[in-house]
Amino acid sequence: MKISFVDNNFQYAKCYITRNYTELAKQILAGNYELDYEKREDDFLCGYKIQKNEPLSSLYEDNYYSVRFYFANVDTLHQEKQETMMEAMMQHLLIEIEERKGYYNLRIPTHIVDLLKAYNKLPERGIFCGGTVEQYIANKEVPDNIKQGVKVFWANTQYVEKHKDLMLSMTYRSFETYQGQYHISHVTENKAGKIYENWIRNSLLENSQDLVVVAEYNGIPIGFVTVAEDDFALEGVLSAVSEEYRQYGAYKAMISYIVNSAYERGKSFITSTQFDNFIVQGVWNSLGLKPFYSIYNIHIDKRDK
């Protein structure tokens, strides 16, 4: 099957759900993404873009980068010519990484087999740091799943500011045992918890672009979800539920609320999590969400040591 791909939840979700990759392919081929490298033949293109991860660079006081891949009219199944072109791309990336010292996260889409084959031929062995799965529900209504005594609503900036300390405390406790890609890497594990703390704090700042859905019980915030939005979908970004109130089903109630808010706006709902976060994925699947792509995180350490 031929598709086009960008590592962006909103853009790729729209293509996947509508099963129409034509406009995305045109944008990639027209150079709209300003790639650092591209290799093309006829209407096929593979390429990548390297972006500095400023929060991590600041935290670790070194150069940290992410590498995102782009494809126009790529076959998700093996094609010899594709693999050869992707091998050239990956060789070029490895040379660039050697020259630009730093710590790199290669975000490899799991469903493009020739990219995986090309990576496996590299002499450099990266650090496998797990992956994430993206799921969606397309413009559908679901039961509200709100238990008696629980209230779910969109919180305004005044509400978030008033309850921010409680929400931050709730989230830090939720993330204490969280094991993401930066916990897995022996290079980043010593400050991995701080990465998520900073992410949480920034998402609740007054100038954040994220929307916030809150669950209350007896007037007390017991959970929240931060939400991003574009013209096609709402995206659940970050969530937390108070350990003391988990029996009230706040998480499922909040996700149901956002799904139904998306439905009322004529939009889809998308969200993502670690491969091994089975409890959360179980909640999503019970509401009808389905996976639409996933990413392997491969770290390559090329810092000056």
Side-chain angles (χ1 to χ4, degrees), residues 244-305:
E244 292 83 359
Y245 294 91
R246 291 190 183 277
Q247 70 271 29
Y248 292 99
Y251 182 71
K252 188 170 186 177
M254 291 187 295
I255 296 299
S256 301
Y257 183 86
I258 302 167
V259 169
N260 288 333
S261 294
Y263 173 76
E264 290 168 3
R265 303 176 194 195
K267 298 183 178 184
S268 297
F269 172 71
I270 58 176
T271 190
S272 63
T273 192
Q274 296 287 127
F275 283 160
D276 59 334
N277 197 350
F278 305 126
I279 293 175
V280 163
Q281 292 179 60
V283 172
W284 298 348
N285 298 156
S286 73
L287 295 174
L289 273 73
K290 300 176 181 178
F292 68 101
Y293 84 102
S294 54
I295 293 289
Y296 291 131
N297 289 302
I298 307 292
H299 294 192
I300 295 180
D301 186 8
K302 288 296 180 182
R303 298 166 301 157
D304 282 322
K305 301 183 184 74

Side-chain angles (χ1 to χ4, degrees), residues 69-82:
F69 295 93
Y70 295 74
F71 299 95
N73 301 306
V74 63
D75 199 318
T76 55
L77 299 178
H78 171 62
Q79 299 292 334
E80 195 69 36
K81 186 179 291 186
Q82 277 187 175

Side-chain angles (χ1 to χ4, degrees), residues 72-267:
N73 301 306
V74 63
D75 199 318
T76 55
L77 299 178
H78 171 62
Q79 299 292 334
E80 195 69 36
K81 186 179 291 186
Q82 277 187 175
E83 182 183 354
T84 300
M85 293 175 71
M86 290 186 201
E87 283 178 22
M89 175 179 70
M90 296 303 281
Q91 291 289 347
H92 188 278
L93 173 60
L94 197 57
I95 292 170
E96 192 163 358
I97 287 174
E98 291 281 359
E99 293 175 349
R100 190 194 304 187
K101 296 300 182 183
Y103 188 86
Y104 289 80
N105 175 20
L106 278 60
R107 293 175 50 85
I108 298 181
T110 64
H111 60 309
I112 300 177
V113 66
D114 284 332
L115 181 61
L116 296 172
K117 290 170 72 69
Y119 169 78
N120 284 335
K121 290 183 179 178
L122 290 178
E124 179 73 37
R125 291 296 89 194
I127 308 166
F128 178 64
C129 293
T132 56
V133 60
E134 323 291 325
Q135 296 202 16
Y136 79 99
I137 183 169
N139 193 21
K140 290 182 180 178
E141 192 172 19
V142 299
D144 61 31
N145 290 290
I146 298 176
K147 294 185 178 181
Q148 187 173 0
V150 176
K151 181 182 178 183
V152 180
F153 56 93
W154 292 102
N156 58 30
T157 54
Q158 291 79 17
Y159 182 96
V160 173
E161 185 61 30
K162 179 181 178 180
H163 296 283
K164 184 169 65 177
D165 289 344
L166 176 60
M167 295 165 73
L168 285 172
S169 175
M170 178 195 313
T171 316
Y172 295 158
R173 290 171 65 188
S174 294
F175 274 75
E176 276 179 346
T177 56
Y178 182 78
Q179 297 292 293
Q181 61 175 306
Y182 299 108
H183 292 88
I184 295 171
S185 169
H186 63 276
V187 176
T188 55
E189 63 180 339
N190 64 319
K191 293 183 181 179
K194 196 69 178 177
I195 296 171
Y196 296 101
E197 285 184 21
N198 293 343
W199 176 37
I200 293 158
R201 187 180 298 108
N202 291 337
S203 71
L204 293 177
L205 291 176
E206 190 172 348
N207 61 355
S208 171
Q209 298 300 306
D210 288 347
L211 307 169
V212 181
V213 165
V214 168
E216 278 189 348
Y217 184 76
N218 288 338
I220 300 171
I222 63 170
F224 72 91
V225 180
T226 60
V227 181
E229 181 176 15
D230 79 345
D231 60 355
F232 184 78
L234 299 181
E235 179 186 16
V237 180
L238 170 71
S239 64
V241 175
S242 173
E243 291 181 353
E244 292 83 359
Y245 294 91
R246 291 190 183 277
Q247 70 271 29
Y248 292 99
Y251 182 71
K252 188 170 186 177
M254 291 187 295
I255 296 299
S256 301
Y257 183 86
I258 302 167
V259 169
N260 288 333
S261 294
Y263 173 76
E264 290 168 3
R265 303 176 194 195
K267 298 183 178 184

